[in-house]
Amino acid sequence: MAKSMGTIAIAPNVFWVGVKDYNRRLFDGLIPLPHGTSYNAYLIVGKDKTALIDTVNPGFEKDLVDKIAQHMDPTKIDYVIMNHAEPDHANAAKHVLNIAKNAKLVTGAKGKEAAMMYFDIDASRIDVVDENSRIDLGGKTLKFIDAPWLHWPETIFTYLEEDKILFPCDFFGSHLAGGAFYSDEYGDEKALDMAKLYFAEIMMPFRKPGQTAIEKVKKLAPKIIAPSHGVIWREPKVIMDVYEKWTTEKMEKKVMIAYVSMWGSTEKMVKALNEALVKKGISVNVFDLTNTEVGHIAKELVDTPVVVIGGPTVLGGVHPVAAYATLLVKTLRAPTKYGVVLTSYGWSGGAVKQIQALLEGSKLEVLGVVEVKGPPKQAEFDKVADLASKIEEKLDQL
Ligand code: FEO
């Protein structure tokens, strides 16, 4: 396990005491982490009491306690605030409660149920808060914001009134370990790129609850947004503006083509469509699914209105790699509005039927399908050209 860095103060008596997990390469058994991640926990030392906001992933308990000990006696912690019950933030809560015998776990009503179920924390150790609750630490006052389904049902945000710091746990997060702490230390471009990747995989399916939360955050007007993964935003407008765009489905005028080809027939149609779209001045991102990480596809889905799936029939169904990409569109509840299918087969079809079945229940409108037996000929290329015009029309209407 990589050794983490020291602590930093993000405001007077407000300390980052999290850990940086440089070596982690996968989250949820699905999400690639090219730059590792961090589990950000924050210690707030008031004149009278102290609170720890969120904890860390299993395996880093000692790291967390050592960091807290740089600022205070960890046995004297009064509150462990659990914004979210997922183990990467909440698993070490029980460890801290075992050390700090008088500490209370503070969370919402659903969080209480989750803490008892997942971590076997006794009800007597849990204080339930809601949006009317305040915890006065002595010159540091905490209030709480209901933020259900961001991205679990129990999620809340914590707000430190005096310093105007929002602690939204996963919301506004990014999987980025790195040596720095603040978004501006990495530059907006890199920080936002990682935030978009994170949003795609974690928050994109929850755009409506996201909109509600953003309105609440706007009213608070925080000076700092300190999530529990990745960079801290000390210019909150930077991340709030893009979150507003992503949650309200503001699309870019562009097309994503995600394809796999076995003997080049599907690929010929992909290339023809790409060329036709580019000739029309349309921005196209083409991904060969055999060497594309799932994160790149997810990130494009955030603001791409047209997705083209290319994949041949294999043994009576769609190529499994193309099936995976198709399922991703549906699973992540992408805001994609239009779909196109390009497919080929040798002796019997089946890909189209299976793609349709995979997309059942999604809101995606299929603009067209080009299916060919063997290599594509002029008739198929003409259909591809027609599809390019249809796509252009739809993009113009956005
Ligand atoms: Fe970072 Fe939903 O846990």
Side-chain angles (χ1 to χ4, degrees), residues 27-28 37-39 84-90 150-152 154-155 169-171 175 198 202-203 228-229:
F27 211 95
D28 291 344
T37 191
S38 67
Y39 316 110
H84 173 33
E86 196 160 9
D88 51 327
H89 310 292
L150 295 172
H151 61 123
W152 279 17
E154 85 302 347
T155 43
C169 199
D170 281 337
F171 207 56
H175 285 308
Y198 186 90
I202 306 291
M203 295 298 168
S228 292
H229 290 293

Side-chain angles (χ1 to χ4, degrees), residues 81-100:
I81 315 290
M82 189 186 80
N83 281 320
H84 173 33
E86 196 160 9
D88 51 327
H89 310 292
N91 193 77
K94 182 143 190 179
H95 183 76
V96 176
L97 291 178
N98 284 339
I99 291 170

Side-chain angles (χ1 to χ4, degrees), residues 230-244:
V231 298
I232 298 166
W233 307 88
R234 51 189 167 188
E235 291 172 48
K237 193 176 180 319
V238 173
I239 187 67
M240 284 178 66
D241 282 355
V242 294
Y243 256 58
E244 189 154 23

Side-chain angles (χ1 to χ4, degrees), residues 188-206:
D188 282 354
E189 196 179 336
K190 178 168 183 183
L192 288 175
D193 193 52
M194 295 311 294
K196 189 176 185 182
L197 182 63
Y198 186 90
F199 177 89
E201 295 155 337
I202 306 291
M203 295 298 168
M204 185 162 70
F206 304 103

